[in-house]
Amino acid sequence: MYSQDEINSAVSAGVLAPEAADKLRAHVVSIRERPVTDEEHFRFVSSFNDIFVSIGVVILLFAVAAIGQAIGTAAFAVDPNDFGGNSRFVRQESAEIMFGAALAAATAWLLAEFFTRKRRMALPSIILLLAFVAGLLFTSLGLAATIAGPDNIGSGSGYLIAAFASGSGLIAAGGAWLHWRRFGVPITIAAGAGALAIFAIMLVVSVLASATSLNGDTLILPLVFLSGMAIFMLAMRWDMSDRERQTRRSDVAFWLHLLAAPMIAHPLFHWLGVTDGQDIGVGAAAGALAVYVAMGLVALAIDRRALLVSALAYVLVTLASLFDRFGAVELNVALTALVIGSALLTLSAFWTPIRRVVVEQLPATMRSRLPAAGVPLTA
């Protein structure tokens, strides 16, 4: 199986003529009876060797992280009989996190030089990128906690912890940018955007929590929602630069949508009371279903399924509560699965014609920015 990016590379190298590449894409479209844009391609595994290498990568990263933790333990050795050294114990734990994460991040970068830069292996590249960015995040968090110590953190209350998290997010975002410049893995932009979201959210929380009487917990969800919307707009920017979805930009947009979707969905359904763990009223259930339908229309318009998938669990809970409320106690789970499963399979089978109907209702200027759906651009 060859990705669009690899086909484009073959064209650029002169191995494959542009006309032959276009005919190949048209042939695939005719076989599948749907536009290539509707397939939402992205490379995850190209062979079983990807899985084989990924298992080895995970084991090796686990090993070096454990070695790093042992180094941190040795560097901040604590006498087990020193019951008054609680501060020392906390510093030791922070040092373990710092050294373990730092070694894992360094190892992930070195492995990426071979498996990503030379071999271009998809799944190992994703794992190595995530390990590198997460390693930077926890390294900076562990370093800050080790330097500050538990006493200073405690006296600074929650806003100082939020400030540490904010700085760590910025460092992780910078590392993601360097990784993108070196290796160009599509998921890197999403990882960097997530790190920047952590930076922005924790920065606002640390500033407002220290300057006002606002509770940081009440700020988190609105900030997560706004960050999700910002990442969604960034994803659309990448999507609009590749309407035919034939380059790596489409893969970048895919991962950004996958990140933005839960950040948008969770606050919305939380505010509707779906996540409270209590019985959902009819009004709240109707609101939740209306939100899901709206997300479905957006997903059809932009030709991305991430919104539908991310909100699926909330809709399952909502429908199960409704069936339970109206007396179908024993069958509420089965009926919920039947309704949702049938709806998703129907939508998948008729995605292209349904999407065409939705896109036809949009203004021509908006249609010209969305993935092609066989709809004329004239009003």
Side-chain angles (χ1 to χ4, degrees):
M1 178 181 178
Y2 301 101
S3 67
Q4 293 285 353
D5 204 40
E6 288 169 332
I7 293 176
N8 294 335
S9 176
V11 172
S12 301
V15 176
L16 187 66
E19 297 79 10
D22 292 337
K23 289 180 180 179
L24 175 61
R25 294 187 181 105
H27 177 66
V28 173
V29 169
S30 66
I31 292 176
R32 298 179 179 177
E33 298 183 345
R34 63 193 303 167
V36 67
T37 54
D38 287 355
E39 293 291 344
E40 211 169 353
H41 292 289
F42 77 100
R43 242 186 114 190
F44 195 68
V45 292
S46 55
S47 67
F48 188 78
N49 192 41
D50 280 36
I51 300 174
F52 183 76
V53 171
S54 297
I55 294 172
V57 164
V58 171
I59 293 174
L60 181 59
L61 290 175
F62 174 81
V64 296
I67 293 172
Q69 287 182 333
I71 294 173
T73 302
F76 288 80
V78 178
D79 184 355
N81 297 320
D82 182 11
F83 298 104
N86 180 61
S87 175
R88 185 79 171 169
F89 275 112
V90 174
R91 285 181 184 273
Q92 184 187 69
E93 292 175 354
S94 301
E96 290 174 357
I97 293 173
M98 177 182 65
F99 281 102
L103 273 183
T107 303
W109 182 283
L110 292 175
L111 291 174
E113 289 289 347
F114 180 76
F115 292 108
T116 301
R117 190 169 174 82
K118 291 186 177 181
R119 297 288 298 275
R120 311 302 299 178
M121 302 182 76
L123 183 58
S125 297
I126 293 172
I127 295 173
L128 291 171
L129 174 274
L130 294 177
F132 175 72
V133 174
L136 286 183
L137 181 68
F138 284 100
T139 298
S140 51
L141 278 174
L143 177 62
T146 302
I147 295 174
D151 296 333
N152 292 329
I153 294 176
S155 62
S157 191
Y159 77 88
L160 187 56
I161 299 175
F164 286 158
S166 177
S168 300
L170 187 60
I171 292 172
W177 180 80
L178 291 174
H179 199 282
W180 169 257
R181 294 297 297 257
R182 179 65 175 172
F183 303 109
V185 181
I187 193 178
T188 309
I189 302 298
L196 280 178
I198 293 174
F199 162 71
I201 291 171
M202 293 296 102
L203 180 63
V204 172
V205 169
S206 64
V207 171
L208 292 182
S210 62
T212 68
S213 59
L214 291 174
N215 187 348
D217 293 339
T218 62
L219 298 171
I220 295 294
L221 276 182
L223 292 173
V224 168
F225 177 77
L226 292 176
S227 299
M229 291 300 298
I231 294 173
F232 175 79
M233 298 305 297
L234 178 62
M236 290 304 303
R237 187 177 180 86
W238 282 87
D239 253 343
M240 289 186 294
S241 68
D242 182 20
R243 293 183 64 237
E244 299 300 326
R245 295 190 175 167
Q246 295 180 359
T247 69
R248 189 179 300 177
R249 293 191 296 273
S250 176
D251 294 339
V252 172
F254 168 83
W255 290 108
L256 285 168
H257 280 295
L258 205 62
L259 172 64
M263 296 175 69
I264 295 172
H266 180 73
L268 287 176
F269 287 100
H270 176 79
W271 292 327
L272 288 169
V274 176
T275 62
D276 289 342
Q278 301 175 357
D279 289 338
I280 303 172
V282 176
L289 293 176
V291 168
Y292 191 68
V293 170
M295 286 183 170
L297 293 175
V298 173
L300 283 163
I302 66 175
D303 202 8
R304 292 291 185 186
R305 296 159 179 80
L307 277 173
L308 289 171
V309 174
S310 65
L312 188 59
Y314 305 104
V315 176
L316 288 170
V317 172
T318 301
L319 285 178
S321 179
L322 275 180
F323 286 129
D324 184 68
R325 179 177 290 272
F326 288 106
V329 178
E330 296 181 356
L331 292 175
N332 63 341
V333 175
L335 291 174
T336 300
L338 177 64
V339 171
I340 294 297
S342 300
L344 290 180
L345 289 176
T346 301
L347 188 60
S348 176
F350 300 101
W351 181 271
T352 299
I354 295 175
R355 179 170 182 264
R356 185 176 296 116
V357 171
V358 172
V359 175
E360 282 176 347
Q361 313 307 315
L362 301 175
T365 54
M366 188 176 295
R367 294 202 301 266
S368 65
R369 296 170 178 262
L370 296 174
V375 181
L377 299 181
T378 56

